[in-house]
Every structure is written in structure tokens, then in C-alpha cells.
Amino acid sequence: MDVPNVVGDWQEYQSEEWAGLRIRVHGLKKAVPARGRHDDAKGLTYVSFQVTFENRASTFFSVDLHGHPEHYDVRVGRNGNGAFVDEYAADGIRDFNLYPQRRVTATLYVAAPAPKLKQLDIQISPKIDEEPSFGYVWVGALGVHEGSTSAGPRTSTAKSGVASEVERFLKGTTSDD
């Protein structure tokens, strides 16, 4: 992968065994979990995002994505500091059989200092058919609307001006404060 996905982009799985399965990170926004704030997130700003899997194949896939750090990681700020992953607030996906022409979505929560939310790198590494999958990365920031950065679905192999625009925007953020 030369260029990371932009929040809102679809990413097709490249392996033959998972052909037809694609994933998308979208809906990045400030939000407080319905179950309440975690004590370890005191003084931090919560954000949520959604991860959607879509099956375009002719067979089902077993998808597993929940709050464990082995399944997703979020880095914030220009130096890539780790965000607090609130695994108890997550509405994850556990061993779900995703049948053809269906979608399944997880809502995940992380917290970080507000100034560092100008740049987020989200890596998603679910288990598919009980096997760990490659971790694709999405970049985004609070205040960057998906509709303004993406005219439609694209894959990471596409050379698009959208990724360049987001990269220029994120580089324009000169400090984390």
C-alpha cells in the first residue's frame, strides 16, 4: 500500500481467499460512549468511528472485530502517539457470519487530547475466517468531512488527488497544540 486510505474510502481485500470482501472506516466524529466515559480517559476527548464490512462474494465470511488492541490501533498527532482505546464502549463484531450481499458495522471509541485529534491514523486488523488479516490504514481528522474528500469509493491502489489533498491538509497542521 503506497498511500493510506482516507476516512470514508472502501478498501478491497487483495487475497484470493477473501476476494469480494471489502472494508471501510467512516463516520469519524466527537462522541461520548453510551456506556459512559472510562476513568482512564479523564481529561481526554472521545471520538467514535465506524468500521463496515461488505461481502460481494458468493460465500460467507466469519468476521471478528472488537475492542482488543490486536484488532485495531489508533495513532494521533504528528508524532503518532497512541490513543486510548475504550474496548468496553465498543460495539464490536464477534464471530459474525457475513453472508453475500450483506454488510456489518462496528462502532468504536477512542480518546486522546483534543489538540492531537487534528490527525488520526486508524489501522484495522480484523480476524477473517479465524485468521488474522493484513492491517489497512485510514487517515483523517476531526473537522474534515468525508463528503468533501471523497467523490465516491476508491481503493488504495488508485492514484487519486483526494489522498494528496488530505495529505496537504494534514501537513498544514503545523503543531499538535
Side-chain angles (χ1 to χ4, degrees):
M1 180 173 70
D2 302 7
V3 178
N5 298 294
V6 177
V7 169
D9 287 349
W10 284 100
Q11 172 61 55
E12 301 275 342
Y13 277 93
Q14 302 300 319
S15 72
E16 284 186 34
E17 64 184 320
W18 299 327
L21 183 64
R22 64 187 198 154
I23 182 174
R24 177 181 184 214
V25 171
H26 58 101
L28 178 65
K29 63 182 178 183
K30 282 186 182 179
V32 177
R35 295 178 184 100
R37 297 180 62 85
H38 194 284
D39 291 342
D40 291 343
K42 186 175 183 179
L44 302 177
T45 301
Y46 265 99
V47 295
S48 72
F49 57 91
Q50 294 182 317
V51 180
T52 299
F53 294 87
E54 181 179 72
N55 185 352
R56 300 170 123 193
S58 58
T59 185
F60 75 90
F61 299 103
S62 176
V63 177
D64 193 18
L65 175 76
H66 44 85
H68 292 291
E70 68 197 39
H71 290 219
Y72 71 98
D73 187 26
V74 179
R75 299 289 167 166
V76 295
R78 296 191 61 76
N79 293 328
N81 298 326
F84 171 73
V85 174
D86 194 337
E87 61 187 272
Y88 299 107
D91 292 326
I93 302 166
R94 292 187 186 269
D95 299 321
F96 185 81
N97 289 335
L98 182 59
Y99 285 90
Q101 307 304 313
R102 299 288 188 262
R103 289 182 178 177
V104 63
T105 300
T107 301
L108 307 173
Y109 291 88
V110 298
K116 294 193 181 281
L117 295 173
K118 295 176 185 173
Q119 180 175 342
L120 286 97
D121 299 316
I122 302 168
Q123 179 174 303
I124 305 296
S125 307
K127 281 189 177 178
I128 301 170
D129 293 336
E130 298 185 22
E131 296 292 326
S133 69
F134 179 78
Y136 289 111
V137 175
W138 282 261
V139 297
L142 286 181
V144 178
H145 300 288
E146 292 171 30
S148 66
T149 60
S150 180
R154 72 171 182 89
T155 63
S156 67
T157 57
K159 295 289 184 189
S160 171
V162 173
S164 298
E165 288 176 34
V166 171
E167 184 177 325
R168 282 193 303 273
F169 170 80
L170 294 174
K171 283 182 180 177
T173 308
T174 57
S175 71
D176 286 335
D177 5 84

